[in-house]
Amino acid sequence: MNIKIQSLLCAGVWLLCTVGAGSASAQIVNYSDSGVPDRVGLELLQEEPHDIIYLTEESGGGWVKARLLDFPGRKIPSEPKGVLQFEVIGIETKQFVTDWKNIEKIDLWEIRLERETAQMIAEEDFKGAYPFLSVLIRDYPNRPGLRKLRSEFLWKDAIKRAKSGEFEATLAMLEELWRYAPEFQPKTVLGALSGVTDKLMMKLVKDGDLEHAQQMLARLEKDYGESRLASISKWNKLFLQLAQKKQSEAIAALEAKDYRAARALSRESVAVRPDIDGGKELIRKIDTIYPLVRVGVLQTATVLDPTRIDNWASRRAGRLVYRTLFEMKGAGPEGGEYDFVFGETETTPYRTQFDLVLETEKLKPPLSEIQGFTIADKIAERATRNTPEYFSPWAAAVTAIGMDGPKRVECTLRRPHVLPSCLLQIPIDGSWFGGKEGAPTGAYKRDAESEDTVRYILAAEPERPEQLREVVEIRQASASDGVSMLLQGELDVLDQLFPADAVRLSKSRDIRVKNYPLPTVHMLVPCSDHAYLAERTFRRALVYGINRADILNGELLEGLEVPGCQVVSGPFPAGIEMDDPLGYAYDKSIAPRRYEPRLAKLLMTLNANQMKAIADRKKETVPEMKPIRLAFPADNLSRVACEAIMSQWQLLDLKIELVELPVGRTYPDPGTADIVYVSAAIWEPIIDARRLLGPEGLAGSSDQLVGLGLRRIEEARDWRMVRDGLLDLHAIAHHELPVLPLWQMVDSYAYRRELTGVGNDIVSLYQNADKWQLNQ
């Protein structure tokens, strides 16, 4: 239908359209019989793109917003004739026409956007100008004035940011301007770049961030060259002077045999000026004289015990300082593979005799000084009640200990045992050789320590010139900090990675990333007399109230699929692959409990009613529901997990208090927490089941069914009975919940390629530390 536009306007018809994205009262006028449209600013971009047709006074005046007119090349005809057909915004299904002689002017949409952008730039409203400029770049990239408009935006925005001290943003704007339009005031822009660079360099040097300062300077020199930016030449000279000074100090420290200072200063010198003469040669010389590695850790150890199942740091550093009578080297088809540190073992065909054969002639001090009767005494104490070393599984397994000569210790077993070596993981200290109790027996000994740094120095004379003299553990504030330091060369090793960080590091040509072959099982362990946590029904409610899959996959794995990382239904590892022998204690037919918050609330109500009924029957007061204190080790992985658990438990109307344990601690002192987040190395369930679930274990369980399950395992005569007993114990633990199982994690480590001798499939990071070697 065609009707004259004048008739529409003269009829006094007004069309008001509500703007959905704005206020309910905001209105857009799409035509008028007088005046001009109001300037609406950013709200203009909420309108449908349109051109504005202004009518002459002779034809009745007014204006109308029309859908974008179909002009060739979007250019208004220079000598139009006839009529113009158009659609009015907001009036659907109708066509309007007017004679060209009635049109005073047409304001094209893109010209209006350019006008708004220019006005906002003039008013220094760069936040407002940016969306208009973005639309122009997207929809009208070939507009003749767009290049100048965009250059003006970048230039004036950079000036404003510089005045407010935002030098990083200023540099970014100026560099984008130079890349986009190098013809725009080149001398002025380069002068500004030089000035801003100078201010940024002064700030970085003042903050002591020399490495980033050097990196920025090297990039600017590559992009612009000294001839273009005067500041580059200035700072190159200053950095060369600083690097030479640090190099001189490093040489002086080397001559004074202060190898730690020499190492640090020589590396700082190269970081400040990578091409300094003799810089890398000096580093190699110092590393040859005094090899040292820096290891990034999430926790430094306060207690050194290579047999701890609940303390990653203690287990890691303990292996560096102490040896164990039997050391786990990896996993085999039937349980763990163990080495007798003093020689070899022999077992009779019926597995009722287990002999330790000393081969001291193959050992080095202090291990070569061991006496057979010392070993016999130590393992006898382990089977004797009322001694600190007593361990009931060994006591239940052995019936007699004797010696057949000075180098053979014979152990007679009560019944065949599938793996007696796992029962004798006893830390060895200096007292075994007539020395001081607690004295180291590993390759290194603990030396100086500060708040976040612990040094381990070689305990004896080096066996070869390239053997490491020091291992320095540096605690990282977060896993991401450790990754950055490893990539920058400030660390040589990272002992524990988030899965996402492992993927990131594996892409670097300078870094090797390896998985530890044995996974850790993460769980919550009750550790107080909290009346409600003592109730199985309440503990079951807590499990149903944790979205374990969501926390594991979203928070910890960051959406990555990592083989072996999974939610578990019990306290034992499930293995990494389907037929993994590591999972011999895990019953795959028991599915983990799903996230059921409604069921959790129902169980909590049921538990409250049960406790009230018992209290009424005993004429006692119902225990008060106190806040649950959730403790966790001071590392960010545990913190992230526990914060997520707390938020989900709070949805059940529970009051939760987070308790961060001191650095190096993984288990709270009595009375300080009610339940603790534990990452446990349950690598040999035959022995670790009691260490976790027994009355003297982490969970301190006195449950009769759990105790019966533990005894069945310890009385097993073959692997079939062991496996059946462990599967039964898994079912008991799933039902009784002495611990609340969460998930299994596959941990990994990373090291720079210059470090060799680390080995493959190592159970502990320092398993081969005495063979580590730096190759510059």
Side-chain angles (χ1 to χ4, degrees), residues 323-372:
R323 304 299 300 270
T324 1
L325 187 62
F326 280 87
E327 293 176 340
M328 190 176 194
K329 295 295 185 181
E334 292 186 340
E337 295 179 343
Y338 297 86
D339 281 351
F340 175 43
V341 72
F342 293 115
E344 299 292 337
T345 61
E346 294 179 1
T347 306
T348 58
Y350 294 102
R351 297 197 306 276
T352 57
Q353 186 79 19
F354 180 60
D355 297 345
L356 313 182
V357 182
L358 278 64
E359 298 179 345
T360 53
E361 66 279 1
K362 298 180 180 180
L363 304 176
K364 298 174 183 177
L367 299 183
S368 61
E369 301 168 11
I370 193 66
Q371 300 293 325

Side-chain angles (χ1 to χ4, degrees), residues 362-613:
K362 298 180 180 180
L363 304 176
K364 298 174 183 177
L367 299 183
S368 61
E369 301 168 11
I370 193 66
Q371 300 293 325
F373 64 83
T374 302
I375 297 177
D377 288 344
K378 293 293 183 181
I379 63 177
E381 289 174 1
R382 194 168 175 82
T384 305
R385 290 185 180 275
N386 302 322
T387 63
E389 293 77 17
Y390 177 72
F391 188 56
S392 59
W394 174 244
V398 67
T399 184
I401 299 171
M403 295 190 65
D404 183 8
K407 293 189 175 184
R408 189 181 191 91
V409 180
E410 297 180 340
C411 304
T412 303
L413 306 180
R414 296 180 188 276
R415 62 187 68 86
H417 196 284
V418 293
L419 201 60
S421 53
C422 76
L423 305 176
L424 294 175
Q425 297 178 67
I426 310 171
I428 302 169
D429 66 7
S431 65
W432 287 46
F433 313 99
K436 183 180 178 182
E437 185 174 349
T441 53
Y444 295 84
K445 62 182 179 181
R446 191 168 184 142
D447 189 39
E449 62 179 285
S450 60
E451 183 178 355
D452 292 322
T453 302
V454 181
R455 295 182 181 276
Y456 297 91
I457 63 174
L458 201 60
E461 289 299 316
E463 298 176 7
R464 59 189 193 285
E466 62 273 14
Q467 186 174 6
L468 296 180
R469 305 305 195 271
E470 269 190 33
V471 175
V472 184
E473 290 192 347
I474 303 171
R475 182 171 178 262
Q476 305 299 301
S478 67
S480 59
D481 288 350
V483 170
S484 299
M485 291 181 68
L486 184 69
L487 288 170
Q488 294 165 12
E490 296 178 36
L491 294 174
D492 302 294
V493 185
L494 278 181
D495 91 306
Q496 194 176 16
L497 303 174
F498 269 69
D501 291 333
V503 172
R504 174 186 169 192
L505 285 172
S506 64
K507 297 177 182 177
S508 172
R509 293 181 299 176
D510 301 325
I511 308 296
R512 292 185 187 273
V513 177
K514 299 287 185 180
N515 286 342
Y516 292 106
L518 305 176
T520 52
V521 181
H522 296 234
M523 63 192 75
L524 297 175
V525 180
C527 56
S528 77
D529 58 356
H530 193 288
Y532 284 77
L533 282 172
E535 298 295 324
R536 181 184 63 197
T537 303
F538 185 78
R539 295 195 300 273
R540 190 173 298 174
L542 292 181
V543 175
Y544 279 118
I546 306 173
N547 192 340
R548 294 177 287 173
D550 185 65
I551 295 174
L552 174 63
N553 297 323
E555 301 287 342
L556 304 183
L557 301 183
E558 299 181 26
L560 297 173
E561 290 188 11
V562 181
C565 294
Q566 64 183 73
V567 174
V568 293
S569 60
F572 304 130
I576 298 176
E577 300 172 351
M578 288 296 294
D579 57 349
D580 196 333
L582 290 174
Y584 69 85
Y586 191 87
D587 190 344
K588 290 181 171 58
S589 67
I590 301 177
R593 291 182 172 90
R594 299 189 304 274
Y595 177 52
E596 299 280 0
R598 291 184 180 179
L599 178 56
K601 288 286 289 184
L602 178 62
L603 288 171
M604 288 170 59
T605 302
L606 176 61
N607 179 72
N609 292 338
Q610 290 172 340
M611 293 180 70
K612 184 177 184 305

Side-chain angles (χ1 to χ4, degrees), residues 112-345:
R112 193 176 179 193
L113 293 180
E114 290 176 349
R115 190 167 60 247
E116 287 287 344
T117 305
Q119 185 168 345
M120 289 183 177
I121 291 174
E123 296 169 352
E124 294 189 351
D125 181 10
F126 300 106
K127 289 184 178 179
Y130 180 78
F132 283 95
L133 190 60
S134 298
V135 172
L136 284 168
I137 293 170
R138 182 192 68 193
D139 297 340
Y140 305 99
N142 299 319
R143 289 287 300 169
L146 179 59
R147 189 174 184 85
K148 181 180 179 182
L149 191 65
R150 184 176 176 184
S151 299
E152 289 285 346
F153 172 86
L154 293 169
W155 174 243
K156 292 185 177 179
D157 191 12
I159 293 173
K160 182 179 180 181
R161 291 176 184 273
K163 289 178 180 178
S164 61
E166 301 176 40
F167 299 121
E168 292 88 349
T170 302
L171 180 62
M173 301 296 285
L174 290 174
E175 289 200 272
E176 183 179 351
L177 173 58
W178 179 258
R179 287 190 295 268
Y180 173 68
E183 76 281 358
F184 182 85
Q185 304 180 31
K187 291 185 179 179
T188 306
V189 172
L190 286 172
L193 273 167
S194 182
V196 171
T197 299
D198 197 45
K199 292 182 182 298
L200 272 175
M201 295 297 291
M202 284 191 289
K203 181 179 183 299
L204 289 170
V205 171
K206 183 180 178 181
D207 294 342
D209 195 353
L210 298 178
E211 183 172 355
H212 285 150
Q214 175 58 43
Q215 290 173 356
M216 187 178 79
L217 185 64
R219 182 185 64 78
L220 291 172
E221 185 174 6
K222 179 181 177 182
D223 293 345
Y224 303 97
E226 291 189 8
S227 59
R228 288 185 171 181
L229 295 186
S231 59
I232 293 178
S233 178
K234 168 190 172 181
W235 283 100
N236 268 332
K237 291 178 182 177
L238 290 174
F239 275 126
L240 179 58
Q241 293 171 3
L242 182 59
Q244 290 172 339
K245 180 183 177 183
K246 288 186 175 292
Q247 188 181 71
S248 298
E249 292 173 352
I251 293 172
L254 179 60
E255 291 173 349
K257 296 186 178 181
D258 186 355
Y259 300 116
R260 296 170 184 168
R263 183 183 190 277
L265 288 165
S266 64
R267 280 167 166 78
E268 288 175 12
S269 173
V270 172
V272 170
R273 185 77 181 191
D275 59 349
I276 185 173
D277 289 341
K280 293 182 179 178
E281 290 78 5
L282 180 59
I283 289 177
R284 282 196 292 269
K285 180 178 179 181
I286 295 170
D287 284 346
T288 300
I289 296 173
Y290 195 79
L292 175 154
V293 297
R294 293 161 62 89
V295 181
V297 300
L298 295 178
Q299 285 267 24
T300 51
T302 54
V303 176
L304 304 178
D305 184 351
T307 66
R308 283 283 293 268
I309 65 170
D310 66 315
N311 192 316
W312 179 284
S314 178
R315 192 167 60 249
R316 177 195 67 237
R319 175 61 181 83
L320 192 64
V321 176
Y322 294 109
R323 304 299 300 270
T324 1
L325 187 62
F326 280 87
E327 293 176 340
M328 190 176 194
K329 295 295 185 181
E334 292 186 340
E337 295 179 343
Y338 297 86
D339 281 351
F340 175 43
V341 72
F342 293 115
E344 299 292 337
T345 61

Side-chain angles (χ1 to χ4, degrees), residues 95-126:
Q95 296 286 327
F96 296 89
V97 295
T98 186
D99 291 331
W100 270 102
K101 65 181 180 180
N102 295 331
I103 298 175
E104 179 178 323
K105 65 176 181 177
I106 297 176
D107 194 1
L108 296 178
W109 172 250
E110 55 268 36
I111 294 176
R112 193 176 179 193
L113 293 180
E114 290 176 349
R115 190 167 60 247
E116 287 287 344
T117 305
Q119 185 168 345
M120 289 183 177
I121 291 174
E123 296 169 352
E124 294 189 351
D125 181 10
F126 300 106

